[in-house]
Amino acid sequence: MDTTWETRLGWTAGLVADDPVVRTRARRRLVAMRRLMHTALRRYNEVWSRQDDPERQSRWEHYRLRQSFSFPEGLGLKEPLGTWPGLPYLIRYLEWEVRYPDEWFATAKNWTAKEVLLRHLTREFADLPVAAKRHLVELIVLVIRRDYHVEDVSWARLARAVDLPDFRQRLAGVDDGSSSIPAKRARFLLWLLDHPEAPQLRRTHWHHGRYPQPRRHRRR
C-alpha cells in the first residue's frame, strides 16, 4: 500500500476549501477514516493482553496503518519541523480550526492536539520555511478577528515568536484605534513584541486583553 504523505493525507486539502461541497466530501472521508481506525483499535484491544497470540502484532500494525490515514492522528509529529514533510499538513489542521471551527469541532476536535502543535511551532518558528511562517501569520490575523476559542492563547504565544519584518505592520493594520476586540488584541500583541521579558501568557491575558505583569515577591 502506498503510504506517502500525499496519498495518506492529500485529501485533507478539501477540509479548508472555499467550496462547501468539497469540504463536506472531505469531512465524510475523514469520518470514514476515523471509523476504520477505531475499528482497528478495537480489534487490537481484543488481543492486546495475549502476549503469545500471533494476531497481536498484525492487528497492531493494521491499527497503526489505519491511524496514519486519519487526521490529525496521521500526522505523527516529528522534529525538526523545518525539514519535516508533514509540516504543511500540521498547519492545515490548525487552519481548519481557524477557518471552519464549527466543522472542525463537529468532526475531529482535539484541543490537546491544537495546543501541542502550536507549542512545537512556537519553539521552532525561527527554523521554519518562510512560506510556512507567512501562512501562520495569516492564521494569527484571522484568530485576532474572531471570537475566543479554547487554547487561542497558544496563538498569542506563537505570535511572540514571529520574526517576519512586516508582522508589526499587519498588526497595526488591525488596530484601528477603537475599543473593538480585534483592535485590543492587535495592540496587545504589539505590546508583547515590545516586551519580550513579559511572563508566560495565560488565557485571561488574551481573552480580556490584560497585559501580564511580573510577579512581585512578598516581603518577609
Side-chain angles (χ1 to χ4, degrees):
M1 180 179 292
D2 186 355
T3 57
T4 62
W5 280 97
E6 186 60 24
T7 298
R8 293 190 298 107
L9 299 176
W11 57 270
T12 59
L15 295 171
V16 294
D18 294 332
D19 188 340
V21 174
V22 175
R23 295 202 308 275
T24 297
R25 188 181 304 124
R27 289 175 59 203
R28 287 175 177 170
R29 178 165 181 173
L30 176 55
V31 169
M33 292 296 100
R34 293 175 69 84
R35 186 182 298 116
L36 290 173
M37 177 187 70
H38 291 143
T39 298
L41 178 59
R42 185 169 59 253
R43 293 190 70 246
Y44 169 71
N45 286 338
E46 293 172 355
V47 298
W48 77 270
S49 61
R50 307 172 192 170
Q51 298 293 331
D52 298 328
D53 193 322
E55 281 286 305
R56 188 173 185 272
Q57 184 60 31
S58 63
R59 290 191 184 188
W60 171 251
E61 292 174 355
H62 182 66
Y63 161 65
R64 293 289 289 170
L65 178 63
R66 290 303 183 187
Q67 185 183 48
S68 71
F69 280 78
S70 188
F71 199 55
E73 294 83 4
L75 290 174
L77 185 64
K78 293 184 179 180
E79 299 178 348
L81 296 182
T83 57
W84 180 49
L87 178 61
Y89 303 91
L90 183 161
I91 296 176
R92 183 175 295 162
Y93 181 72
L94 296 172
E95 179 180 3
W96 183 25
E97 191 272 337
V98 172
R99 294 187 183 276
Y100 304 105
D102 292 339
E103 296 176 8
W104 177 89
F105 186 89
T107 313
K109 72 176 179 69
N110 190 323
W111 304 119
T112 299
K114 174 183 174 180
E115 189 274 331
V116 169
L117 296 179
L118 285 168
R119 186 188 336 131
H120 280 271
L121 288 170
T122 299
R123 185 169 59 237
E124 298 191 47
F125 191 87
D127 298 322
L128 299 183
V130 174
K133 291 181 178 182
R134 295 197 177 282
H135 195 162
L136 289 167
V137 165
E138 293 295 332
L139 297 181
I140 291 172
V141 173
L142 290 176
V143 170
I144 291 174
R145 296 181 182 277
R146 74 173 184 178
D147 292 337
Y148 180 83
H149 290 187
V150 175
E151 285 302 334
D152 271 359
V153 68
S154 295
W155 282 105
R157 292 168 183 154
L158 175 64
R160 300 183 76 173
V162 174
D163 56 4
L164 298 181
D166 60 346
F167 184 47
R168 289 174 181 271
Q169 295 178 357
R170 295 296 305 277
L171 295 177
V174 178
D175 179 13
D176 58 5
S178 70
S179 60
S180 68
I181 294 299
K184 287 182 177 180
R185 287 174 176 170
R187 287 195 294 271
F188 178 47
L189 291 184
L190 285 168
W191 181 87
L192 287 175
L193 293 177
D194 289 332
H195 295 80
E197 77 287 352
Q200 178 72 20
L201 288 175
R202 295 185 180 181
R203 181 184 63 82
T204 53
H205 296 148
W206 175 252
H207 190 48
H208 300 293
R210 298 171 181 169
Y211 298 167
Q213 300 297 323
R215 291 184 179 180
R216 295 181 178 179
H217 297 286
R218 293 182 179 180
R219 293 183 178 179
R220 294 185 178 180

